[in-house]
Amino acid sequence: MIKTIEEINQKIQSGKAVVLTAEEIIDVVRKKGVAQTAKEVDVVTTGTFSPMCSSGAFFNIKQLTEKMKIGGGFATLNGVAAYAGLAAADIYLGATALPEGDPRNSNGRPGKFRYGGAHVIEDLVSGKKVALKAGGHGTDCYPRREREQLIGFDDMNDAFLFNPRNCYQNYNVAVNLSDKPIYTYMGKLKPGIGNANYCSAGQLSPLFNDPYYRTIGIGTRVFFCGAQGYVAWHGTQHNPSAKRQENGIPETPAGTVALIGDLKQMTPQWLKAVSFTGYGVTLSVAVGVPIPILDEQMVRYVSVSDEEISAPVVDYSRFYPYGEGQSPLCSVTYAQLKSGQITVKGKKVPTGSFSSYARAREVAGHLKDLICKGEFLLARAQAPLPGAVIEKEAV
Amino acid sequence: MKQMKKVLGFSENITEEPIIYHLIADYGVRVNILRASIDPGKQGRMVVEIAGEDSQVSLGLNYLERTGVQAETLAEEIVHLTDRCTSCTSCVPHCPTRALDVDRNTWQVSFDPEKCIVCLSCIDVCIYKAMTLTGTLSEYFTNRQTAADDISA
Ligand code: SF4
Ligand code: SF4
């Protein structure tokens, strides 16, 4: 081992840390080699900006003088129902929640899904007030039964984003083998493999740069939609045993993390509600994870480039929904995806992404600046993610 | 030689006249219909590209005015809201004319209104609602299927 996280933090605090993005490091390693880079570089920053459906926020709403128990009752924010099965004043609003009686697909087909939980969250982060409507059964200690009020962050003791699954390590490339256009969570797919949609920042994506979760674990501090957040747990559907290439990169969707952060500190630049025509509402979030360069092995991992990362091409007309047919149809590299065209079943297919590489770059660059200015320190993971391969000397 | 994109608005009493025929046959104007939504007996809108000698085009536009067809310039109709656009690129393969295109070095997505034929594909495809339709066209076309759907459906 060359460095410890404590040594790196001391360098960050004295303004001497050498920080590069996961994109910048690729050429440096090609020029200087692994050993030299490991000595010179302290931290590599990753970034991603992408729709992540498993997102939502906990709110604790300040009581009025006559108190109310929303727990066990109901609460809506701008007409979108929040989960109210918690304590008197705690609710959870999921990003994909839709307003009651929403016309969904009847509002013309395919449905537009113009407003939902993610939009409520973005409105609050943008400093807007939203309409709370709540009802409860009333008790001796919480007599109020109804509450209707415009509320913003000032009317909440706490608001934090808690996303059970973010940062998927690799993802499917979606195509449509059928003869009709389909509307999916991977966007609109034209018939006859008319287009291919992918959703990962590839070489900048956090978990591609630490494929065996050697430094990213529970307690890792991350850049989260403009605030500092933390890895709270492994994400739901975390699957470290997915088949891997020789370089450790999983060939199919694999690791995930659950993230938590203070919503009041987040900014609309890094958190955006999105509407998938014919599918629903979800939230795009910015995540940047700093990776400490502890030794040469970490340099090898963070120097991974788009040519070395492959994703499976999956049919979303029959295979994904019904499990019918062959899968994957083939696999392609992120370099091919980013060229704008891939070949599937002998056909040249144009590609588009939902994960913004332009924004992922900004996230990684911004996190780099924060670390260089001493405003963001690394936090050692307190427990490994399931399936982590951590050699003793690296800890 | 003049070439331009126009949105033609037809009121109910003129939708059954062969206006486009007259435009082509009597004024020698080349008309390329990019998009149309006209129901007989109702109002309609048509997006056309008009080309011809300067004099032919202005006489043709005069004719339209006399018949009561509103002809508006197209460019402002599709708006790219740069503050909502994240340059994700998901719209790029859906744009038939490369009006929406990505620079693969900077990864910024840009919109060139000159190339836009208002096919509306991007309106449904952009999840950030960064592509919007303004002006007279919007009420006619937003809740319809996109041109691409009409063709493949
Ligand atoms: S789909 Fe929308 S957000 Fe994405 S690049 Fe196109 S206009 Fe921008
Ligand atoms: S309306 Fe059609 S041509 Fe114009 S930018 Fe959108 S997709 Fe491209």
Side-chain angles (χ1 to χ4, degrees):
Chain A
M1 185 175 46
I2 300 177
K3 302 171 208 114
T4 64
I5 288 180
E6 289 66 30
E7 282 164 5
I8 294 173
N9 274 340
Q10 277 166 15
K11 279 179 138 183
I12 294 173
Q13 278 166 317
S14 57
K16 287 190 189 125
V18 177
V19 188
L20 292 176
T21 70
E23 188 178 44
E24 293 164 340
I25 191 91
I26 296 170
D27 277 341
V28 172
V29 175
R30 280 181 193 154
K31 275 189 210 119
K32 298 194 172 179
V34 170
Q36 190 60 25
T37 310
K39 281 191 201 113
E40 287 177 14
V41 178
D42 301 306
V43 184
V44 163
T45 58
T46 62
T48 177
F49 185 90
S50 173
M52 302 194 197
C53 285
S54 198
S55 298
F58 279 105
F59 301 117
N60 178 281
I61 297 156
K62 285 183 188 165
Q63 291 283 3
L64 302 177
T65 312
E66 183 190 321
K67 293 192 176 69
M68 176 174 180
K69 177 179 179 253
I70 299 173
F74 75 90
T76 61
L77 294 169
N78 278 355
V80 183
Y83 179 72
L86 298 164
D90 289 330
I91 56 173
Y92 182 80
L93 181 68
T96 69
L98 293 168
E100 184 89 25
D102 187 68
R104 295 196 180 211
N105 281 330
S106 66
N107 174 20
R109 228 198 88 80
K112 307 287 183 214
F113 303 103
R114 289 194 176 90
Y115 200 88
H119 295 87
V120 175
I121 295 171
E122 186 186 333
D123 280 347
L124 286 166
V125 167
S126 307
K128 291 185 191 148
K129 290 198 178 254
V130 297
L132 165 74
K133 198 173 171 193
H137 49 255
T139 68
D140 289 343
C141 45
Y142 291 106
R144 181 183 294 277
R145 286 161 182 267
E146 279 173 13
R147 187 167 166 188
E148 279 191 46
Q149 191 194 336
L150 277 179
I151 59 165
F153 279 154
D154 288 348
D155 307 292
M156 300 176 183
N157 290 310
D158 307 280
F160 46 87
L161 201 63
F162 180 54
N163 298 357
R165 179 172 67 257
N166 279 176
C167 295
Y168 234 127
Q169 189 181 24
N170 217 346
Y171 212 74
N172 296 340
V173 180
V175 297
N176 172 10
L177 288 184
S178 80
D179 56 7
K180 287 194 183 69
I182 56 171
Y183 295 84
T184 73
Y185 72 89
M186 291 296 283
K188 181 180 176 182
L189 299 170
K190 297 200 250 183
I193 327 183
N195 63 323
N197 281 340
Y198 65 101
C199 194
S200 170
Q203 63 195 12
L204 270 175
S205 179
L207 293 178
F208 277 147
N209 286 282
D210 186 4
Y212 290 111
Y213 331 115
R214 215 169 152 229
T215 67
I216 301 174
I218 296 162
T220 297
R221 186 179 292 123
V222 302
F223 174 86
F224 194 23
C225 303
Q228 297 196 0
Y230 294 88
V231 174
W233 203 246
H234 63 272
T236 52
Q237 295 177 25
H238 175 75
N239 174 23
S241 47
K243 195 165 168 243
R244 287 171 192 262
Q245 302 170 181
E246 218 169 288
N247 58 4
I249 297 290
E251 294 174 7
T252 52
T256 67
V257 285
L259 296 177
I260 194 160
D262 187 356
L263 194 66
K264 291 188 180 184
Q265 306 294 321
M266 295 183 183
T267 53
Q269 182 194 1
W270 300 118
L271 174 150
K272 279 204 166 13
V274 299
S275 304
F276 276 85
T277 300
Y279 179 73
V281 165
T282 184
L283 189 69
S284 277
V285 300
V287 184
V289 182
I291 297 182
I293 302 304
L294 304 173
D295 57 12
E296 295 183 11
Q297 188 55 43
M298 281 329 287
V299 172
R300 274 183 218 110
Y301 286 144
V302 295
S303 65
V304 74
S305 67
D306 285 334
E307 295 81 32
E308 302 161 310
I309 310 173
S310 295
V313 179
V314 175
D315 169 40
Y316 273 66
S317 68
R318 302 304 302 178
F319 181 80
Y320 190 88
Y322 302 108
E324 290 172 13
Q326 281 284 103
S327 199
L329 298 168
C330 60
S331 97
V332 292
T333 67
Y334 280 91
Q336 288 166 331
L337 287 164
K338 285 184 186 162
S339 75
Q341 196 179 63
I342 57 170
T343 305
V344 183
K345 287 177 162 269
K347 186 178 173 182
K348 290 199 162 51
V349 184
T351 59
S353 176
F354 285 106
S355 179
S356 167
Y357 195 72
R359 285 293 173 93
R361 248 187 203 163
E362 280 177 43
V363 172
H366 184 63
L367 178 56
K368 172 182 158 174
D369 290 346
L370 290 175
I371 296 172
C372 288
K373 283 190 277 183
E375 290 170 16
F376 192 110
L377 290 175
L378 307 190
R380 170 195 288 280
Q382 298 301 303
L385 297 177
V389 179
I390 302 172
E391 307 87 310
K392 270 212 173 66
E393 72 269 27
V395 179
Chain B
M1 182 72 184
K2 226 181 197 165
Q3 187 167 345
M4 62 182 71
K5 273 179 238 158
K6 290 276 178 190
V7 183
L8 307 184
F10 299 82
S11 62
E12 0 182 330
N13 46 351
I14 53 172
T15 42
E16 294 188 30
E17 282 182 40
I19 287 167
I20 300 298
Y21 166 79
H22 285 300
L23 201 57
I24 299 169
D26 304 351
Y27 297 90
V29 177
R30 266 205 340 254
V31 180
N32 185 14
I33 300 175
L34 302 172
R35 195 170 164 77
S37 165
I38 300 181
D39 307 307
K42 291 192 193 138
Q43 299 174 310
R45 279 289 183 284
M46 196 182 264
V47 182
V48 294
E49 193 166 58
I50 296 176
E53 295 306 323
D54 290 13
S55 58
Q56 291 174 319
V57 171
S58 32
L59 286 172
L61 291 177
N62 264 340
Y63 159 71
L64 290 178
E65 209 185 304
R66 269 183 283 125
T67 1
V69 176
Q70 295 166 283
E72 291 162 45
T73 309
L74 183 65
E76 300 101 48
E77 296 283 352
I78 289 272
V79 181
H80 181 213
L81 304 172
T82 46
D83 61 328
R84 280 215 69 85
C85 176
T86 64
S87 285
C88 69
T89 76
S90 74
C91 56
V92 173
H94 291 274
C95 179
T97 62
R98 293 201 160 226
L100 282 162
D101 208 356
V102 58
D103 176 328
R104 291 190 192 272
N105 291 311
T106 64
W107 285 96
Q108 295 297 323
V109 169
S110 59
F111 171 61
D112 180 355
E114 294 288 307
K115 293 189 188 155
C116 177
I117 58 165
V118 197
C119 72
L120 307 183
S121 295
C122 56
I123 302 264
D124 265 0
V125 160
C126 176
I127 59 173
Y128 294 93
K129 298 291 158 251
M131 301 306 292
T132 55
L133 193 58
T134 60
T136 43
L137 263 182
S138 50
E139 30 186 304
Y140 286 89
F141 291 139
T142 30
N143 276 326
R144 289 170 183 266
Q145 289 185 312
T146 64
D149 275 350
D150 293 346
I151 294 159
S152 53

